[in-house]
Amino acid sequence: MLETKKSIMGGDEREHRRLAMTLAAVLLLGAFQLGEGELKGNYSKLSGIIIPGFASTQLRAWSILDCPYSPLDFNPLDLVWLDTTKLLSAVNCWLKCMLLDPYNQTDHPECKSRPDSGLSAITELDPGYITGPLSSVWKEWVKWCIEFGIEANGIIAAPYDWRLSPSMLEERDLYFYKLKQTFETALKLRGGPSIVFAHSLGNNVFRYFLEWLKLEIAPKQYIQWLDDHIYAFFSVGAPLLGSTETVKGMLSGNTFGLPVSEGTARLMFNSFGSSLWMMPFSKYCRADAMYLKHFSGGIRKGPNTYQCEQKEFQSNYSGFSTNIINIEIPSTRGIDAYPSVSEFSQTNYSSMECGLPTQLSFSAREISDGTFFKAIEDYDSDSKRTLHQLKKSYHDDPVLNPLTPWDRPPIKNVFCIYGVDSRTEVGYYFAPSGKPYPDNWIITDVIYEIEGSLVSRSGNQVEGNPGPASGDETVPYHSLSWCKNWLGPRVNITRAPQSEHDGSDVQVELNVEHHDEDVVPNMTRSPRVKYITYYEDSESIPGKRTAVWELDKANHRNIVRSPALMRELWLQIWHDIHADSPSKFVSKAKRGPLRDDDCYWDYGKARCAWPEYCEYRYVFGDVHLGQSCRLRNSSADALLHYV
């Protein structure tokens, strides 16, 4: 009887809490108006548009394929990416549905795959009791939105075929045309602008969309369209100068944990036009598009121009920490075997006797402009295909050469977020394996960046130009941190713990001068604490607001599932809807629990931690003390501390 009474009381409390949370959601998603970089007044609701990263959208079969020697066939709408059961039992059939023609990006004659649609296409790649959690991408993100009262039509997924080059996305699927319609539909349906959440390659996709949009909208209406349809852009884990790991995938294969050989992985990866989209490139070289849009009106067509600043030739590594590729090639034909690199200085070749392997080193620029692939053309049968795709889909792209640095997007509010201080691959040593393609290269050594230093796979220190931090296990720090160039001339820097905190370990530096270069704070770290370091405009471009968030030890794939990141996103948006807020950014002075999952049992004090936020409240089915620690009914009021 007593348990029943407790259960009823718990139900009432949950109902009160649900009402309080609903009230908070109404306050958050209720009336507001888009002002000068702020939300206030009289729009109805925001929308969130998610653009996933590489290999983060489900692909489904659009063919009937009979698989011999296997009980599993492929039928229309069967899951292809990712169905580990069919991958294990019918790998040859599975590859037919995944591979594209390396020259024209068409499907295999026997099987074609197309991206799934809706949120289910990006939440879990391989749903299942065991495989679901292992392949979860945006599922936790969506759960947070639901928990805080976001309506079903308030979160919109923009999945795409991540195998295609940017121009083919539009040519085959009209992806950018549909994305434009998605923004316009969201504005009509919800009554307000959208917030863009892009992860990894999704940032490159969004960048291309912004350039494509210039050719679709009258010049004088372009900025107005952006202001009306996009309130903020949250860029997460963006490879702004490319990713060195792409080189490994192109030359030796990167399995990404799949049960396939590296050769098979290389064969598949190199058939994708998008493989070149993530190549590293120099921050000092830029190109004009074939169609130059003048905001004074008119379109001028002309040849692409690719120019590099003098710094490119004065620096050693194109703005990266080291040469990305060091490769041994048989030198039986001498230097004449490399006519495409005859302009290199003799120092690029190691002094070895005739007939012994010659080691060549290549920077990011020499990879992205095709010099490297021309140099190995006689020794790698795939180089011709790579050079064809590089010229057709990237260097000669009429909208944008994606292998060039990205200026700050012309959106009012930009937040660049990434992980730091994880061991990240930044350079490779390759040598011939003696086997045929696709297994003709092996990796003999790897260079890693680790918290401000460069080390080889054997642990030896390596000379180079390491940054003050390392990357996120996939993208190097120099590429991730490029967005610091988007900050204004003065920056406020705050470092705070990722977990809930009382403010005692918060460090602040105000009005730090910034001149289009990296900003490094003079702050201390506790070795056992993971921090978030916030770089926020103190003095910004008029009408614009920019922030950069660095999350310690947040790796590239899992950052979108980070509770700390989701909490900060929620609080920043909550802060923005209050017109009377005295600051441009949410306060970092204190962080308390926002969800039941944030409450836990403090065994040292024999009570729930954070008693001002959490209380012990048993609900039938709880199996441990921490599970019975829940937010107080007044937790919705706690959000007011962050205005």
Side-chain angles (χ1 to χ4, degrees), residues 609-641:
W610 295 93
E612 65 269 36
Y613 294 93
C614 305
E615 64 182 1
Y616 181 84
R617 190 167 69 249
Y618 174 81
V619 173
F620 181 76
D622 290 350
V623 294
H624 57 80
L625 292 170
Q627 200 171 355
S628 298
C629 290
R630 292 178 165 84
L631 289 172
R632 295 181 179 274
N633 292 332
S634 60
S635 348
D637 297 334
L639 289 170
L640 296 176
H641 294 297

Side-chain angles (χ1 to χ4, degrees), residues 136-189:
S136 175
V137 185
W138 291 91
K139 187 174 183 178
E140 289 299 316
W141 192 291
V142 174
K143 284 174 65 178
W144 262 74
C145 294
I146 294 172
E147 197 165 339
F148 282 103
I150 307 298
E151 295 181 14
N153 62 0
I155 301 296
I156 304 168
Y160 58 95
D161 193 335
W162 41 268
R163 301 173 299 168
L164 299 177
S165 63
S167 57
M168 280 301 295
L169 276 176
E170 181 63 16
E171 181 180 329
R172 195 196 75 179
D173 295 344
L174 292 178
Y175 178 77
F176 299 109
Y177 173 77
K178 293 176 182 177
L179 185 58
K180 177 176 178 283
Q181 287 188 318
T182 298
F183 282 107
E184 293 171 346
T185 302
L187 177 61
K188 291 181 179 179
L189 180 65

Side-chain angles (χ1 to χ4, degrees), residues 74 82-92 94-95 258-260:
F74 281 95
L82 180 61
D83 188 334
T84 51
T85 303
K86 290 183 178 178
L87 170 58
L88 289 168
S89 62
V91 64
N92 290 331
W94 181 81
L95 279 173
L258 295 177
V260 296

Side-chain angles (χ1 to χ4, degrees), residues 60 70 77-78 110 115 133 140 171 203 246 260 270-271 338 383 438-439 472 519 539 574:
R60 293 191 176 273
S70 172
L77 300 183
D78 281 357
E110 297 181 43
E140 289 299 316
E171 181 180 329
N203 292 279
T246 304
V260 296
N270 286 351
S271 78
Y338 317 107
S383 292
D439 299 304
D472 64 0
V519 185
E539 179 184 332
W574 170 260

